[in-house]
Amino acid sequence: MLHRPSRRAFLSEGAALAAAGGITLPAAGRAESARLPPRERLSFDIGWRFHEGDIPFPPLLDHEASYAHAKAGNAEGAAADEFDDNGWQSVRLPHDWAVAQSFDRTANIDQGYRRRGIGWYRRSFALDLADRGRALTLCFDGIATHATIWINGTLAHRQFGGSTGFTIGLTPFARFGDDLNTIAIRADADASEGWWYEGAGIYRHAWLLKRAPVHIEVDGVHAAPRRATSGGWTVPVALTLANQGPAVSVRIEALLLDGDTVVARAQGTATLAARAEATATLTLAIAAPRLWSPDSPTLYKLRTRVLGPAGVLDAVDTAIGFRTLRFDADRGFFLNDAPLKIRGTCAHQDHAGIGVAVPDSLWDFRLRRIKAMGANALRTAHNPPAPELLDAADRLGVLILNEYRELSAAADALDRLASFVRRDRNHPSVFLWSLCNEESLQSSAVGVAMFARMKAVVRALDPDRPITAALNGAMFAEPNIADQLDIVGFNYGTGQLDRFHAAHPTVPLLVSEDTSAFATRGAARTDRAVQILADDDSDHAAWGSAHRTAWATVAARPFVAGSFFWTAFDYRGEPTPFEWPSVASFFGAMDQCGFPKAAFHVRRALWSAAPVLEVWPHWTWPGHEGQQVPLSVIANADRVALRLNGRAVATLALHGDVLARTTLTYAPGVLEALAYRGDRIVARQRLETAGPPVALRLTPDRPCILGDGRDAVPITVEAVDAQGRPVPIADTAFALSVEGGTILGTGNGDPNRHAPETPDACALFAGLAQTILRSDGTPALRLIATAPGLRPAILHLPAIPHDVPAMPAIDGRQQLTEWRVAPAAAVPPDLARRIAPGDMNSWAWLKPGAVEPGDPARRWVLFQLAFTPRDQADQCGGTIVFAALTGTVRLWLDGRLVAEKSDPAPTRFTLPLPPGRGERLLQLLFDTGGRDAPFGLAGSVAILPAPLS
């Protein structure tokens, strides 16, 4: 039967489809004239589909395929618009697929014996009609490692560099209203950049920016507070403005806010040529701001705005801090004119259970752990960090030695370096740029020439911060990258510090890396046969030293600004001094979860003026009664007295050290330690022998979680005895389940563990494990831990309502884009006529979204499309939806006349698609009636599949 839907039927059917989530009706969108916010930053994390493994592109074997391949919008295979990804896994960002791989002894040791490979991501979304004319930008914070990105079937970007973010101007590729947009990304993680675990995939956030045609560019605000000679402060503000429309003049404004109070204001004007950029400058003045420091990380808000006749066109808020930096060749580092020894540590970016797909709140957690150790600085080894880490460092007060990965003068590498500096130069926590690490070209003319070009890029964008590099050996060779540095960074080789200082007395020095000590958390003794190392600061790499020795070298030399020890946390890969079956490093002062080792407390004792006392590792040794057991006592005191069950058993004199080792005859009970400075007790600690475990316990890092579907909380899992005491030797296997949330991963810090990091395969290691729980937007989460023979633990975690504006994803719709158009004819054409193979010219190529006027002499025009429905539509059928069909037209499906449209006005039109396998043929015969009235596919054409039965 011929299908002639009425206008009412069209509207009601279209509304039903929109309500079902399949179609976005223009009438439901914002009007073109609706008032839009000046800037929208929408999360692009949800709605991705992922395929692990490569999908080869189809071979180009004939003329038609080769011809189409060379044209924009005609990407093939998984990059194509019409590719069916419905069977792919649904994921949300951040996403690291390597962390789920099995351990493979033949894989790269430095990648933690995990294969990485190639993966594909796809995401579809719709843009409102009101977004037409706005500046639209996709922002990716990091994809490991090489990424190729297609937008709507057109190659849009290639990115080399897995730790550097990038942007793609979406505006020229964008479709609006019912026209669906599709992003396809091929992530090549076989490409390796480092000798550490790098992860795989879109492992940082993605965003969609919507801005007015005149706007502030991404990372286009530069504010560098400066102390004036008069004692007050100024804030020079540079704004990089972009204009994608005609020439225009705008007003610009900068506000400095302390909380909600405006404390300084400046205004000016800027003129932008058509489709051009310009830099505008303003200067704020403030007499006596509160200063930023690790002890008092005061932040102000800089609000920059672009204003037109109708109001605010764009606005950006930037956190800034007021502080001065100075390095002195004889006296070290000064912050705000006060001497400050840099107490730093290095860290890679992976974490237990989740790899490098780190939630924002976990950066906060890791920095708080670093500060709890007494550190005031972090080196981002050996790559640009996640932007959220720097936000947390600003807020918490951690100085950042911000390190770039690649020594290179290649144009794209310098572009990535520039992007890195622009992104991070406003952070008060960033106090040094490090431009490379342990490069073999350090003492070569080529290396120096490349470094000089990199240095020039940094200086042009940030003339204020000093530049360093982490150099290893060849410190006295000429030529040398060291000669290019504001601050010379020593990686190990600290026995040469005095000689270098004597030879270069005007050059400030910093130990950019030292220590490399080994330990297995909680291990009382070394057993190399099973690849366990004592947790007592007794072992280190041949090139390094113990924590105490390393810091003593730095502390004794005022001309050394400070140091960064290797490392804060254990990390995947580089399992020195072992290989398989060890799969993670032993270097951390904390394990991969952030649980402390002895080195954590050693650094506390070295770096804290307040009393520190820690008896390590525990006093629970069942089966060792009457035997000698090892013990470490860590304290910044003169001596420590030990009492066992009320009886004095030892007094340990520290003689200026902070760690003493001893053995005691084990007896269950209470071991008490008293730390003395002179004759005064300054600290006490009490260890009790734990009994056998009877229950599990769950302890969250925070008492609540944001209910935004992305916040995450690390939760400690442990076993307790009948008195509620933790059992430090428990290795209990347990399982986790959750309601109202998602378990992102679990870990326990064992560098030799090969079990998957999943909720159903958990175990304690040295009494501890960790799980990371993400909210799913529910009012509360309920986590349950169970183990055979033990009482389960149940944790209720309330969720605070919170919303992160996000770009909705659309799934299931198949775009029909590859139309051919026969030459206009004076008489109705033969519908059975086919295009000759290899004929690229007789029939025009057409993408939906345009109309043309009729030719009075040739009233008949045939549009034709051969298509293969996706699996769901094959099985269940569906609806072919024409977003805006213009003109009088009759429609044939598979050679059968199925509908006609007699009203020439642009109309939403739907056509039933019966189930059916294989290629289908859709033909539209337009009758212009001998007039020049418009006709054609004014909007998208798509298949909306029927639901699976």
Side-chain angles (χ1 to χ4, degrees):
M1 178 182 294
L2 203 60
H3 180 55
R4 294 186 177 91
S6 68
R7 177 175 176 81
R8 177 177 296 178
F10 273 122
L11 293 176
S12 61
E13 187 172 18
L17 291 170
I23 294 294
T24 303
L25 290 171
R30 294 179 298 218
E32 294 281 0
S33 60
R35 180 65 179 162
L36 299 172
R39 170 181 289 237
E40 294 180 85
R41 185 176 188 249
L42 304 173
S43 171
F44 214 63
D45 287 354
I46 61 172
W48 289 91
R49 292 187 176 272
F50 169 68
H51 173 84
E52 185 180 330
D54 200 7
I55 300 176
F57 290 95
L60 302 175
L61 301 177
D62 59 55
H63 177 60
E64 182 171 349
S66 299
Y67 185 89
H69 167 79
K71 308 301 180 181
N74 288 345
E76 303 97 354
D81 262 3
E82 64 272 14
F83 184 85
D84 187 358
D85 57 23
N86 283 321
W88 289 14
Q89 177 188 357
S90 293
V91 299
R92 73 166 64 189
L93 310 183
H95 179 244
D96 174 6
W97 84 71
V99 75
Q101 303 301 307
S102 299
F103 294 101
D104 181 348
R105 187 170 188 168
T106 65
N108 186 333
I109 182 175
D110 286 337
Q111 299 291 341
Y113 293 107
R114 280 184 155 131
R115 296 200 177 277
R116 299 163 70 217
I118 294 169
W120 281 84
Y121 295 84
R122 287 173 58 89
R123 188 192 197 279
S124 297
F125 63 101
L127 291 167
D128 201 287
L129 291 171
D131 290 324
R132 195 186 300 275
R134 302 179 81 186
L136 305 171
T137 305
L138 287 170
C139 306
F140 291 91
D141 290 341
I143 302 178
T145 300
H146 293 171
T148 309
I149 298 97
W150 292 264
I151 301 175
N152 296 330
T154 295
L155 179 63
H157 188 80
R158 292 186 180 96
Q159 175 71 13
F160 279 33
S163 56
T164 309
F166 60 95
T167 62
I168 304 173
L170 176 61
T171 304
F173 304 101
R175 301 166 176 165
F176 301 90
D178 283 314
D179 275 347
L180 203 63
N181 294 274
T182 300
I183 311 296
I185 299 176
R186 182 182 185 269
D188 178 0
D190 272 337
S192 181
E193 294 189 77
W195 55 99
W196 62 89
Y197 177 85
E198 298 170 85
I202 312 177
Y203 72 99
R204 291 180 181 166
H205 293 302
W207 307 90
L208 174 62
L209 278 181
K210 299 181 178 182
R211 295 166 293 174
V214 179
H215 56 268
I216 301 169
E217 270 289 23
V218 174
D219 300 322
V221 177
H222 184 206
R226 290 183 171 85
R227 188 172 57 191
T229 54
S230 61
W233 287 75
T234 61
V235 184
V237 178
L239 296 180
T240 302
L241 305 176
N243 175 26
Q244 67 177 32
V248 65
S249 292
V250 294
R251 290 179 293 130
I252 55 173
E253 180 181 61
L255 306 172
L256 186 66
L257 292 92
D258 184 356
D260 294 326
T261 303
V262 176
V263 295
R265 182 194 302 264
Q267 294 180 318
T269 59
T271 299
L272 289 91
R275 298 192 176 276
E277 289 189 359
T279 299
T281 59
L282 296 169
T283 300
L284 297 163
I286 180 171
R290 290 170 293 132
L291 301 185
W292 186 96
S293 72
D295 293 331
S296 180
T298 302
L299 294 174
Y300 288 77
K301 183 187 296 180
L302 173 67
R303 177 165 294 159
T304 47
R305 303 199 298 184
V306 181
L307 302 105
V312 177
L313 299 175
D314 197 9
V316 175
D317 285 349
T318 306
I320 65 171
F322 293 82
R323 84 283 186 275
T324 63
L325 309 171
R326 177 164 59 89
F327 285 85
D328 186 276
D330 293 317
R331 296 185 293 162
F333 176 60
F334 289 77
L335 181 67
N336 301 328
D337 293 327
L340 180 67
K341 203 75 167 180
I342 296 166
R343 306 186 303 272
T345 182
C346 307
H348 285 313
Q349 59 181 346
D350 66 297
H351 192 89
I354 54 174
V356 295
V358 179
D360 299 355
S361 56
L362 213 62
W363 296 122
D364 183 278
F365 168 79
R366 285 164 67 92
L367 289 179
R368 284 188 282 110
R369 298 300 295 143
I370 286 170
K371 289 206 75 171
M373 184 171 57
N376 58 22
L378 171 69
R379 173 179 170 226
T380 63
H382 304 287
N383 52 269
E388 293 79 16
L389 181 146
L390 299 182
D391 293 339
D394 290 345
R395 186 175 61 251
L396 295 172
V398 178
L399 292 163
I400 299 294
L401 195 167
N402 208 1
E403 190 157 280
Y404 186 67
R405 189 198 63 77
E406 50 187 331
L407 176 66
S408 176
D412 61 336
L414 295 178
D415 287 344
R416 289 191 291 274
L417 174 61
S419 174
F420 159 63
V421 174
R422 277 194 298 268
R423 187 196 74 170
D424 295 350
R425 60 187 172 176
N426 292 318
H427 289 279
S429 58
V430 176
F431 79 121
L432 275 171
W433 303 114
S434 174
L435 299 192
C436 62
N437 172 76
E438 298 182 0
E439 292 286 346
S440 60
L441 291 178
Q442 172 189 329
S443 55
S444 71
V446 171
V448 170
M450 290 195 295
F451 193 93
R453 282 160 176 76
M454 295 173 67
K455 183 177 177 180
V457 169
V458 177
R459 279 282 176 264
L461 295 167
D462 178 21
D464 299 319
R465 284 181 186 83
I467 293 172
T468 188
L471 306 182
N472 182 234
M475 303 301 294
F476 297 93
E478 290 294 341
N480 204 310
I481 285 174
D483 299 332
Q484 298 281 322
L485 303 180
D486 302 313
I487 317 297
V488 171
F490 269 70
N491 273 20
Y492 309 100
T494 52
Q496 298 293 315
L497 284 169
D498 294 337
R499 179 186 170 204
F500 192 90
H501 180 56
H504 305 274
T506 62
V507 176
L509 301 182
L510 173 75
V511 175
S512 42
E513 185 175 319
D514 65 12
T515 308
S516 281
F518 305 135
T520 304
R521 179 178 59 79
R525 297 183 178 92
T526 290
D527 187 346
R528 289 181 176 267
V530 292
Q531 300 187 186
I532 291 175
L533 299 169
D535 188 8
D536 61 1
D537 197 29
S538 62
D539 203 353
H540 57 82
W543 59 83
S545 58
H547 283 268
R548 286 130 47 235
T549 305
W551 182 249
T553 299
V554 173
R557 290 166 171 78
F559 61 85
V560 177
S563 68
F564 293 83
F565 77 80
W566 192 261
T567 54
F569 304 92
D570 286 342
Y571 52 92
R572 290 168 173 78
E574 207 171 25
T576 315
F578 304 118
E579 294 185 357
W580 183 271
S582 296
V583 294
S585 80
F586 294 77
F587 291 117
M590 294 172 274
D591 69 11
Q592 289 186 56
C593 305
F595 296 132
K597 303 182 190 179
F600 178 94
H601 302 294
V602 166
R603 288 288 174 169
R604 284 178 57 220
L606 290 169
W607 286 343
S608 174
V612 171
L613 174 61
E614 195 72 32
V615 180
W616 198 256
H618 54 77
W619 194 247
T620 299
W621 296 90
H624 290 74
E625 290 79 6
Q627 300 177 26
Q628 294 290 300
V629 296
L631 207 65
S632 296
V633 176
I634 304 163
N636 51 2
D638 299 327
R639 68 186 190 281
V640 176
L642 299 176
R643 298 176 180 275
L644 178 57
N645 297 326
R647 183 174 61 88
V649 290
T651 298
L652 305 176
L654 292 168
H655 301 298
D657 201 347
V658 298
L659 184 146
R661 302 184 191 93
T662 189
T663 59
L664 295 179
T665 302
Y666 177 65
V670 177
L671 180 66
E672 186 179 19
L674 306 173
Y676 290 83
R677 288 180 180 173
D679 295 329
R680 184 168 60 92
I681 297 174
V682 293
R684 297 174 182 266
Q685 188 185 17
R686 177 186 172 94
L687 296 181
E688 293 188 38
T689 302
V694 300
L696 295 175
R697 182 162 66 195
L698 298 170
T699 306
D701 175 59
R702 289 179 279 130
C704 57
I705 191 169
L706 295 178
D708 55 11
R710 62 188 285 165
D711 190 22
V713 174
I715 295 165
T716 299
V717 187
E718 56 191 341
V720 296
D721 68 7
Q723 283 70 49
R725 295 172 296 207
V727 182
I729 59 171
D731 58 0
T732 310
F734 65 94
L736 296 167
S737 61
V738 66
E739 300 169 5
T742 298
I743 296 171
L744 295 181
T746 66
N748 63 15
D750 181 359
N752 299 323
R753 180 174 169 83
H754 288 194
E757 296 170 305
T758 55
D760 57 350
C762 310
L764 301 179
F765 174 67
L768 297 171
Q770 183 184 78
T771 187
I772 299 167
L773 192 62
R774 186 185 66 204
S775 76
D776 280 349
T778 56
L781 290 76
R782 185 171 182 259
L783 180 67
I784 304 169
T786 58
L790 302 186
R791 288 198 310 273
I794 301 176
L795 173 68
H796 294 274
L797 199 64
I800 300 172
H802 187 256
D803 180 53
V804 176
M807 191 67 188
I810 297 178
D811 280 333
R813 195 190 311 178
Q814 178 183 354
Q815 301 280 98
L816 301 179
T817 60
E818 303 304 312
W819 292 81
R820 301 295 299 273
V821 181
V827 296
D830 179 5
L831 271 64
R833 179 188 172 194
R834 297 290 176 262
I835 308 170
D839 183 351
M840 301 295 105
N841 300 294
S842 297
W843 290 52
W845 298 78
L846 180 81
K847 301 279 187 181
V851 295
E852 60 179 292
D855 181 350
R858 297 176 178 85
R859 63 184 288 181
W860 302 96
V861 184
L862 176 64
F863 285 29
Q864 184 167 293
L865 172 78
F867 66 98
T868 301
R870 294 177 178 174
D871 287 347
Q872 187 172 337
D874 267 350
Q875 298 174 36
C876 308
T879 304
I880 300 175
V881 180
F882 296 83
L885 188 58
T886 301
T888 301
V889 59
R890 307 180 84 189
L891 298 91
W892 280 261
L893 180 63
D894 299 330
R896 186 170 66 92
L897 180 64
V898 291
E900 67 179 32
K901 173 178 174 288
S902 57
D903 182 354
T907 309
R908 175 180 297 278
F909 198 92
T910 63
L911 189 68
L913 176 68
R917 293 284 181 183
E919 187 175 81
R920 316 291 290 273
L921 182 66
L922 184 59
Q923 294 171 299
L924 279 63
L925 183 59
F926 288 91
D927 179 5
T928 65
R931 299 180 299 275
D932 60 1
F935 71 95
L937 303 175
S940 65
V941 185
I943 299 173
L944 186 68
L948 290 169
S949 56

